[in-house]
Amino acid sequence: MTAPDIRYLEKMMKRAIVLARRGVGNTTPNPPVGCVIVRDGEIVGSGWHRKAGTPHAEVHALREAGEQARGADLFVTLEPCSHFGRTPPCADAVIAAGVGRVYAGTVDPNPRVAGMGIQKLRAAGITVRSGILESECRRLIGPFIRQMAAGLPLVTVKSALTLDGCTATATGDSKWITGEQARRHVHLLRAQHDALMVGVETVLADDPQLTCRLPRGARDPLRVVVDSRLRTPLDAQIFRVRSTATTLVATCEQDEERLTPYRELGAELMVCREADGRVDLADLLAKLGARGIQSLLVESGGVLAGALLRQELIDRLVLFYGAKLVGGVGRSPFAGSGVEKMSQAIPLQEMQFRRFGDDLMVSGYLRQW
């Protein structure tokens, strides 16, 4: 059998990656996965994992391909699963369909099953090759990898800044730095995350809803407020605005008399360890990870973001630059003293840039996978 051209392999894997992105934000505790089945150079089946508990990407693609899957090439962003969960093993379905060759983007990062799907396919006589566009496929499942490796959510800090690096004027005014297109994309980011976190200062200053407001509707992420001393007003919008999501208040307070009014509003209280008089952020992230939160979007002011940065708890940054200047003494997205020398500055990796009208989105990662 002639070895396929690498351009063909990468082209088809890119199609699978595009499909997988449709499921981002909806598949937890599973990772998003995309799959295409190719016969004689033509895609005859495609699918993506839409939601946990529903068929996986391979099953959707096999159903669409039908008999044309026999002897065909199957491209999938993550190796087919080999174990019974809420759905049967995809590796068994691939074998039963008579697929000729399987190309996987990356091996399953779950140490309990890593490589087992590939082994099962090879034992059935199917040719398997993994590592096609592996870096892109691993980025796609970054939150799943982070939880498998450390039991923590992947933390993304989002901020809007002027071109001179300010999140607000000296008086605290911040509406609006960016235009409507950029702000709409922020709601898409919310829909793609399991949880959305702010500090109590943001609640006191802006009284946000912390919901996902997209034209076609979307799932609201879990709303998390870091409030060490329970200063969140009981009439805040996060308690009054109707949402499919729970509001979770992370605090150091343990007095039931102070906790009860929030519980009566339907909020969940998460009592965390205390560090320097505030919620221990490492403890909070560990608790969120333990409850299955894989991706966390932080839309806070400089105090919370600065603390996360100093404690090396940020995985990714998404910064929106508005085409404006504040001048003078504005507010920084990261409060605190910062580094003293440029040689100590934190480098970002895998930078990406995207325009929204006159605004620019800059994103990058702070750690290697």
Side-chain angles (χ1 to χ4, degrees):
M1 185 179 293
T2 305
D5 184 86
I6 186 63
R7 290 172 296 182
Y8 160 74
L9 298 181
E10 292 185 350
K11 177 183 177 180
M12 295 305 169
M13 189 59 72
K14 284 178 181 178
R15 297 289 292 272
I17 290 172
V18 169
L19 287 169
R21 287 182 180 137
R22 297 186 184 183
V24 172
N26 297 312
T27 62
T28 303
N30 301 329
V33 179
C35 177
V36 295
I37 298 173
V38 185
R39 188 181 186 90
D40 299 326
E42 297 292 329
I43 294 177
V44 296
S46 61
W48 70 94
H49 187 33
R50 291 165 168 78
K51 185 178 180 181
T54 66
H56 291 185
E58 300 94 319
V59 174
H60 286 294
L62 289 169
R63 287 175 179 173
E64 185 177 303
E67 282 300 313
Q68 294 186 85
R70 190 163 300 277
D73 293 341
L74 183 146
F75 292 81
V76 62
T77 55
L78 182 66
E79 76 164 294
C81 60
S82 59
H83 60 288
F84 280 90
R86 294 169 69 178
T87 58
C90 290
D92 291 355
V94 172
I95 294 168
V99 168
R101 296 181 293 195
V102 171
Y103 298 97
T106 188
V107 173
D108 195 320
N110 185 340
R112 295 179 297 176
V113 298
M116 292 175 61
I118 291 174
Q119 291 175 16
K120 180 177 281 192
L121 295 173
R122 286 175 174 161
I126 297 175
T127 300
V128 183
R129 177 175 170 181
S130 64
I132 310 298
L133 296 182
E134 184 165 21
S135 177
E136 291 92 330
C137 291
R138 285 180 64 82
R139 282 297 182 207
L140 182 65
I141 61 169
F144 185 71
I145 294 174
R146 183 72 171 140
Q147 189 168 75
M148 287 293 108
L152 299 172
L154 189 146
V155 177
T156 297
V157 169
K158 166 263 166 187
S159 187
L161 302 85
T162 59
L163 287 179
D164 49 350
C166 298
T167 59
T169 65
T171 64
D173 183 43
S174 62
K175 289 185 171 55
W176 293 99
I177 293 175
T178 57
E180 191 172 323
Q181 290 184 48
R183 297 200 299 272
R184 188 162 54 244
H185 188 72
V186 170
H187 285 277
L188 177 60
L189 286 176
R190 290 180 177 182
Q192 293 174 337
H193 285 75
D194 296 332
L196 170 63
M197 186 166 82
V198 299
V200 65
E201 296 295 343
T202 295
V203 176
L204 293 172
D206 300 333
D207 192 20
Q209 297 181 30
L210 303 183
T211 55
C212 180
R213 300 184 292 281
L214 292 174
R216 297 182 181 179
R219 172 195 59 85
D220 288 338
L222 172 73
R223 298 177 290 188
V224 181
V225 179
V226 183
D227 184 0
S228 302
R229 298 302 166 206
L230 289 183
R231 293 186 292 141
T232 301
L234 296 175
D235 62 350
Q237 289 200 97
I238 52 172
F239 302 128
R240 293 187 291 106
V241 172
R242 181 177 296 179
S243 171
T244 57
T246 301
T247 295
L248 184 152
V249 180
T251 185
C252 299
E253 291 288 350
Q254 300 187 47
D255 185 345
E256 278 300 322
E257 285 191 19
R258 299 208 60 202
L259 299 174
T260 296
Y262 292 93
R263 291 200 177 102
E264 291 175 345
L265 290 171
E268 178 180 343
L269 277 296
M270 180 177 282
V271 178
C272 300
R273 286 199 307 258
E274 187 173 324
D276 299 323
R278 299 176 182 270
V279 166
D280 184 326
L281 295 175
D283 183 51
L284 170 56
L285 293 184
K287 284 180 164 62
L288 291 175
R291 67 173 283 157
I293 299 299
Q294 292 184 3
S295 56
L296 175 66
L297 180 65
V298 180
E299 294 188 28
S300 71
V303 175
L304 178 56
L308 288 166
L309 185 67
R310 287 192 300 277
Q311 296 177 46
E312 300 182 353
L313 296 174
I314 300 175
D315 298 289
R316 181 178 180 235
L317 285 180
V318 178
L319 304 177
F320 291 87
Y321 285 90
K324 299 174 183 177
L325 298 174
V326 166
V329 182
R331 297 191 179 183
S332 166
F334 300 102
S337 57
V339 300
E340 296 181 355
K341 299 180 179 179
M342 191 57 66
S343 60
Q344 300 171 321
I346 303 167
L348 267 66
Q349 307 166 35
E350 299 192 28
M351 298 292 295
Q352 293 185 340
F353 307 89
R354 182 173 173 183
R355 284 192 59 174
F356 294 92
D358 291 331
D359 304 322
L360 177 66
M361 184 184 83
V362 179
S363 63
Y365 292 84
L366 278 71
R367 67 176 82 245
Q368 197 79 325
W369 297 99

